[in-house]
């Protein structure tokens, strides 16, 4: 116990000191006099008055100290921020000046954590400038929760965050369904004094942005189809290349989880959060490229590299960029050939490459349809070697003789660098995406690479001159083949990418007759479904050039009547709908989806390729679901049924040939 000490006795006194001058009563305005005069006045005040004044002074002094401290902190943080903001953006060597990106290159996700943390304690302050954000091309996934989820679900989601969400918070800060927004300084506009809002939960997200267009019933049907396909894959083929839905097992091609990787960005676009998070975990822990396995350069580029890059752009999750870099580097040995035309196959574990066993030729479409992906990889990493390698191929092919009015043969030799098997021209297998990538590279690079455009325009003229014909009786415009001086009325389903590509070119300012041709061709592609008993297209059709009683336009040979769940027609329907707004394209796509459901859906999960599109009572399932069914077909269906032009805006993204959207680098 402490006893209180008595307060010390206060002694009050007044002291009066008179100076001689004052005493004399004369006027004196010197400093000393004024000080003395104040002092005298002070002494004349009563004790109470003096206490009040002292108290007021003390109070004012305390207030002053408090506000000074606050201002100092604010000032410090503001000056720190503004000097950070003055730092120039890091440049990507070699690529930047000529082609400034529409949306600047994403930055490493982990590099942003620090900035974010630095800002978060200052929530009450409005920072002068936003952080240099997570990857710049993030788009929101469609907010299905906001639009579709029941309140119950929403409640549960709040109470029990998905384990992957928890992991997300600890392991990395950037990928976030809530945070997947275009930050103010990530948009196409130059950085301004826009103020960064703190991250919001998805239910609040977007208050300051355009309301997303609600998902409609047809899109819901696509989501349902995807979930059904995914269910089969998850149960019987998880982590493997393809589902065999009937035998409830899987097949391996490269042993790299092809279906899962191909489907990542589809899940993002469809808003399938849980499925995406689960797949992400597999990528993080099980996707290893250090494997003694031969992969096809083209297929692994368009599906794996393309899929990882687009998922990185959509989600902002640096995991996908790291994986993309890894596979990109491992594919590079393919370019070590005498001609620099890459080999078809690479062993990604050993770092060796080789052509197929029976030839030293590569396929023209394969060596000219890997450019979008490798060029983008250079842009993201700052390492030019990827772009250099694929640009060299394009330059070489541009200068090569053996073309026929811009149409290319199907093979090219990796030793000599010359076309081989001259004289056969098709827009189908082995040549198709050469034409597609001419246009798309030109778009990707900001419409500056004139050689690409020249080759594309010349090729379309070549198509018109040598390959276009009309069928009977419906006079459908179709693209046939030309072999050694002879026209063949054969058209692969693969050629149905062309209407979409033509429409994309017209949308980007190319001649309007490309759009007219696109409209005519998509009608033909639709008829390749509509004139068949199951309403599904075969792999190849032959058109009738002469009217014969009882014959339709489309003839199918027994060897060609399979359907592999291919995307090309719905892909083109998507482009045509986007650019014309004509609802008939959506209706045609809807018919196709229903027929896939009717003839290819396997009740226990998954969809299957079929052998006979002409036999509705037994379409003969082949027991395989190709990865592009999830990567492309269902994605294009979902986009086709959407009326939201910002759901993968075609002025910001260009789709690779496996339907993986990659950013366009520069404005038109
Ligand atoms: C896909 O892998 C790509 O679309 C490629 O360009 C062609 N073949 C399949 C789909 O049909």
């Amino acid at each position: 116990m402490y006893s209180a000490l008595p307060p010390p006795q206060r002694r009050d006194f007044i002291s009066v000191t008179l100076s001689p001058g004052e005493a004399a009563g004369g006027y004196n305005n010197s400093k000393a006099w004024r000080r003395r005069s104040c002092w005298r006045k002070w002494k004349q005040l009563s004790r109470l008055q003096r206490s009040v004044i002292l108290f007021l002074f003390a109070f004012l002094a305390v207030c002053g100290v408090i506000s000074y401290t606050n201002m100092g902190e604010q000032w410090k943080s503001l000056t720190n921020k503004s000097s950070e903001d003055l730092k120039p953006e890091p440049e990507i060597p070699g690529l930047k000046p000529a082609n400034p990106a529409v949306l600047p290159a994403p930055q490493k996700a982990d590099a942003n954590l620090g900035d974010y943390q630095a800002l978060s304690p200052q929530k009450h302050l409005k920072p002068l400038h936003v952080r240099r954000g997570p990857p710049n091309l993030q788009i929101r996934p469609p907010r299905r929760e906001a639009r579709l989820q029941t309140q119950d679900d929403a409640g549960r989601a709040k109470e029990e965050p998905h384990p992957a969400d928890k992991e997300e918070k600890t392991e990395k800060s950037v990928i976030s369904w809530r945070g997947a927004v275009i930050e103010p300084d990530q948009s196409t506009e130059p950085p301004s004094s826009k103020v960064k809002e703190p991250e919001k939960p998805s239910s609040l997200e977007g208050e300051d942005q355009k309301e997303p267009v609600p998902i409609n019933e047809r899109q819901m049907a696509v989501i349902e189809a995807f979930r059904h396909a995914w269910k089969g894959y998850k149960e019987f083929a998880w982590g493997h290349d393809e589902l065999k839905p009937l035998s409830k097992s899987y097949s391996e091609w490269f042993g790299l989880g092809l279906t899962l990787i191909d489907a990542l960005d589809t899940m993002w676009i469809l808003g399938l959060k849980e499925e995406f998070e689960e797949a992400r975990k597999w990528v993080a822990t099980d996707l290893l490229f250090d494997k003694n396995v031969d992969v096809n350069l083209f297929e692994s580029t368009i599906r794996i590299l393309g899929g990882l890059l687009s998922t990185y752009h959509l989600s902002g999750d640096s995991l996908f960029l790291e994986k993309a870099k890894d596979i990109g580097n491992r594919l590079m040995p393919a370019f070590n050939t005498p001609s620099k035309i890459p080999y078809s196959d690479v062993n990604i574990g050993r770092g060796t490459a080789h052509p197929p066993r029976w030839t030293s030729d590569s396929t023209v479409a394969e060596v000219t349809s890997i450019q979008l992906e490798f060029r983008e990889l250079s842009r993201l990493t700052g390492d030019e070697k990827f772009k250099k390698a694929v640009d060299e191929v394009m330059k070489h092919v541009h200068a090569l003789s053996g073309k026929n009015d811009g149409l290319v043969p199907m093979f090219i030799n990796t030793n000599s660098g010359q076309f081989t098997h001259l004289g056969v021209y098709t827009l189908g297998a082995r040549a198709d995406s050469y034409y597609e990538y001419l246009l798309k590279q030109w778009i990707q690079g900001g419409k500056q690479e004139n050689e690409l455009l020249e080759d594309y325009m010349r090729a379309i003229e070549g198509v018109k001159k040598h390959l276009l014909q009309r069928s009977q009786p419906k006079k459908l415009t179709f693209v046939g083949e030309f072999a050694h001086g002879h026209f063949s009325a054969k058209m692969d389903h693969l050629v149905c990418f062309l209407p979409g590509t033509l429409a994309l070119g017209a949308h980007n300012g190319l001649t309007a007759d490309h759009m007219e041709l696109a409209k005519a061709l998509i009608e033909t592609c639709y008829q390749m479904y509509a004139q068949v008993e199951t309403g599904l297209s075969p792999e190849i059709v032959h058109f009738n050039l002469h009217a014969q009683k009882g014959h339709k336009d489309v003839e199918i040979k027994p060897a060609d009547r399979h359907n592999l769940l291919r995307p090309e027609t719905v892909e083109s329907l998507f482009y045509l709908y986007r650019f014309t707004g004509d609802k008939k394209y959506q209706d045609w796509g809807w018919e196709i989806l229903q027929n896939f459901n009717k003839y290819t859906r396997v009740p226990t999960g998954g969809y299957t390729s079929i052998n006979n599109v002409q036999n509705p009572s037994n379409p003969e399932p082949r027991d395989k679901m190709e990865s592009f069914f999830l990567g492309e077909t269902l994605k294009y269906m979902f986009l086709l049924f959407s009326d939201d032009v910002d759901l993968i805006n075609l002025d910001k993204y260009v789709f690779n040939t496996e339907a993986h959207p990659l950013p366009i680098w520069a404005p038109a």
Side-chain angles (χ1 to χ4, degrees):
M1 293 277 285
Y2 297 98
S3 59
L5 291 170
Q9 284 238 312
R10 280 206 233 140
R11 281 181 293 143
D12 293 319
F13 58 90
I14 297 173
S15 114
V16 178
T17 313
L18 295 175
S19 72
E22 275 170 308
Y27 176 69
N28 184 347
N29 199 28
S30 73
K31 261 191 193 166
W33 184 86
R34 269 182 281 140
R35 222 180 289 132
R36 273 196 304 273
S37 156
C38 284
W39 180 242
R40 200 180 56 220
K41 281 190 180 127
W42 170 252
K43 290 291 177 190
Q44 284 168 352
L45 294 175
S46 74
R47 250 174 74 195
L48 181 66
Q49 285 169 318
R50 287 201 306 242
S51 305
V52 169
I53 290 169
L54 282 174
F55 175 77
L56 278 174
F57 268 109
F59 178 72
L60 286 173
V62 169
C63 288
V65 168
I66 288 171
S67 63
Y68 175 78
T69 317
N70 273 354
M71 276 172 62
E73 272 173 16
Q74 283 188 31
W75 178 248
K76 240 190 283 168
S77 71
L78 295 185
T79 45
N80 284 350
K81 274 281 131 204
S82 24
S83 58
E84 265 173 36
D85 293 338
L86 284 174
K87 278 184 219 157
E89 290 274 34
E91 282 185 13
I92 298 165
L95 288 175
K96 193 224 82 186
N99 286 338
V102 162
L103 300 166
Q107 294 167 18
K108 281 197 178 168
D110 41 358
N112 302 307
L113 182 57
D115 262 356
Y116 177 68
Q117 284 171 336
L119 279 177
S120 33
Q122 294 186 40
K123 275 190 206 122
H124 60 290
L125 292 179
K126 287 201 166 180
L128 279 188
H129 197 73
V130 290
R131 66 187 158 114
R132 294 285 172 224
N136 302 335
L137 280 164
Q138 295 178 44
I139 63 160
R140 280 155 200 284
R143 288 181 296 134
R144 278 188 65 252
E145 286 116 326
R147 284 168 286 168
L148 299 174
Q149 216 174 28
T150 61
Q151 285 197 328
D152 254 352
D153 286 342
R156 234 179 298 134
K158 253 187 235 161
E159 285 155 25
E160 307 162 19
H162 190 282
D165 284 348
K166 283 186 223 154
E167 181 198 314
E168 163 196 307
K169 272 172 212 140
T170 49
E171 274 188 358
K172 61 195 169 57
S173 69
V174 171
I175 176 169
S176 159
W177 288 78
R178 299 178 302 278
V181 294
I182 298 173
E183 296 287 352
D185 66 343
Q186 296 166 349
S187 70
T188 52
E189 292 159 31
S192 68
S193 57
K194 288 175 198 167
V195 173
K196 177 195 175 294
E197 294 296 328
E199 292 205 2
K200 298 171 207 156
S202 64
S203 54
L204 294 178
E205 187 189 84
E207 277 176 351
D208 51 348
Q209 299 195 17
K210 261 197 267 167
E211 260 308 294
V213 177
I215 287 177
N216 57 48
E217 274 181 24
R218 287 178 176 183
Q219 285 178 292
M220 287 289 291
V222 179
I223 290 172
E224 194 282 322
F226 184 98
R227 283 207 155 120
H228 183 76
W230 193 247
K231 174 182 179 288
Y233 179 74
K234 199 175 151 183
E235 252 175 83
F236 310 122
W238 184 251
H240 297 285
D241 283 343
E242 291 124 354
L243 167 68
K244 294 178 75 176
L246 292 170
S247 50
K248 301 195 176 75
S249 64
Y250 57 83
S251 55
E252 286 306 23
W253 188 6
F254 308 144
L256 295 172
L258 267 193
T259 295
L260 187 148
I261 300 176
D262 231 358
L264 283 167
D265 58 3
T266 306
M267 290 185 268
W268 184 274
I269 290 167
L270 269 56
L272 299 176
K273 174 183 173 175
E274 270 178 31
E275 290 84 346
F276 181 86
E277 293 294 352
E278 226 172 333
R280 183 206 177 270
K281 268 192 191 157
W282 183 86
V283 172
T285 56
D286 295 308
L287 178 60
L288 300 171
F289 295 126
D290 190 9
K291 270 189 169 180
N292 180 8
V293 61
D294 274 358
V295 303
N296 174 282
L297 170 69
F298 163 74
E299 297 292 357
S300 49
T301 298
I302 64 168
R303 300 184 199 214
I304 300 176
L305 179 56
L308 292 169
L309 287 174
S310 71
T311 306
Y312 167 64
H313 278 299
L314 299 181
S315 69
D317 186 341
S318 59
L319 166 72
F320 300 108
L321 178 57
E322 291 311 312
K323 293 288 177 186
K325 275 192 239 173
D326 190 7
I327 186 71
N329 275 307
R330 289 171 186 278
L331 291 175
M332 287 306 282
F335 295 91
N336 294 335
T337 69
S339 65
K340 303 285 178 236
I341 297 298
Y343 290 129
S344 57
D345 298 283
V346 193
N347 187 304
I348 52 173
R350 289 195 183 144
T352 54
H354 58 87
R357 256 184 225 119
W358 59 93
T359 175
S360 54
D361 287 351
S362 285
T363 296
V364 170
E366 292 194 358
V367 301
T368 56
S369 311
I370 49 179
Q371 277 67 16
L372 292 177
E373 300 81 356
F374 278 95
R375 283 154 49 112
E376 177 59 12
L377 187 58
S378 270
R379 196 177 73 98
L380 292 174
T381 58
D383 187 343
E384 274 198 277
K385 71 172 181 231
F386 307 110
K387 182 178 190 292
K388 244 178 107 191
V390 293
D391 280 352
E392 202 163 322
V393 176
M394 291 315 293
K395 284 209 175 78
H396 179 90
V397 172
H398 171 75
L400 215 51
S401 59
K403 291 181 204 142
N404 186 4
D405 289 318
L407 303 176
V408 289
M410 296 189 286
F411 297 98
I412 187 164
N413 190 272
T414 50
N415 293 321
S416 67
Q418 299 298 310
F419 288 129
T420 63
H421 303 83
L422 301 184
V424 182
Y425 303 97
T426 173
L427 261 77
R430 299 189 182 278
D432 48 0
S433 43
Y434 160 73
Y435 303 100
E436 178 187 351
Y437 268 37
L438 286 175
L439 178 76
K440 288 183 172 178
Q441 285 175 82
W442 177 69
I443 292 172
Q444 178 192 43
K447 306 185 191 175
Q448 296 174 13
E449 295 150 293
N450 292 335
E451 287 183 353
L452 296 166
L453 180 61
E454 277 166 28
D455 288 352
Y456 176 74
M457 295 302 282
R458 193 166 296 137
I460 300 304
E461 288 313 301
V463 170
K464 288 186 199 163
K465 187 167 164 192
H466 299 289
L467 306 182
L468 274 195
Q469 278 285 0
R470 287 181 146 212
S471 67
Q472 295 293 343
K474 285 201 163 184
K475 301 197 180 352
L476 302 173
T477 303
F478 71 93
V479 181
E481 296 185 354
F482 193 77
H484 310 295
H486 296 287
F487 179 79
S488 157
K490 163 180 178 270
M491 180 166 155
D492 294 354
H493 183 272
L494 287 170
V495 181
C496 288
F497 81 91
L498 186 61
T501 299
L502 287 167
L504 181 65
H507 174 74
N508 279 280
L510 305 187
T511 151
D513 70 305
H514 284 200
M515 184 55 101
E516 292 318 304
L517 182 54
K519 287 179 186 168
L521 287 174
I522 191 61
E523 167 80 38
T524 306
C525 290
Y526 168 63
Q527 289 298 329
M528 286 164 63
Y529 287 71
Q531 293 196 9
V532 180
E533 288 79 349
T534 55
L536 292 175
S537 169
E539 180 73 355
I540 299 170
V541 298
H542 287 78
F543 285 94
N544 279 317
L545 292 173
H546 308 288
Q548 293 175 62
K549 215 171 171 208
H551 283 253
K552 298 177 186 164
D553 300 70
V554 167
E555 299 281 352
I556 304 166
K557 302 207 169 179
D560 304 332
R561 56 190 183 198
H562 48 289
N563 178 298
L564 304 183
L565 312 170
R566 285 197 190 276
E568 290 77 17
T569 295
V570 284
E571 169 186 354
S572 284
L573 287 171
F574 157 64
Y575 284 105
L576 266 290
Y577 180 67
R578 264 288 165 97
F579 298 139
T580 67
D582 189 336
K583 298 266 182 208
K584 81 176 174 205
Y585 299 125
Q586 288 186 325
D587 295 342
W588 292 353
W590 181 236
E591 273 176 39
I592 293 171
L593 177 62
Q594 284 171 313
N595 291 326
F596 275 134
N597 274 329
K598 202 160 167 193
Y599 297 108
T600 71
R601 187 173 162 117
V602 179
T604 45
Y607 287 73
T608 178
S609 304
I610 54 174
N611 264 331
N612 191 350
V613 292
Q614 291 181 297
N615 188 353
S617 58
N618 180 16
E620 300 169 29
R622 282 167 81 118
D623 194 18
K624 183 159 175 183
M625 183 173 78
E626 300 283 348
S627 78
F628 50 70
F629 183 62
L630 300 191
E632 298 193 70
T633 312
L634 292 180
K635 184 191 288 154
Y636 281 130
M637 290 261 190
F638 187 80
L639 294 171
L640 164 65
F641 299 141
S642 168
D643 284 310
D644 183 357
V645 294
D646 287 323
L647 186 54
I648 312 296
N649 186 317
L650 291 174
D651 295 321
K652 291 181 181 161
Y653 292 91
V654 61
F655 283 94
N656 85 340
T657 193
E658 189 75 6
H660 299 303
L662 298 173
I664 293 172
W665 298 345

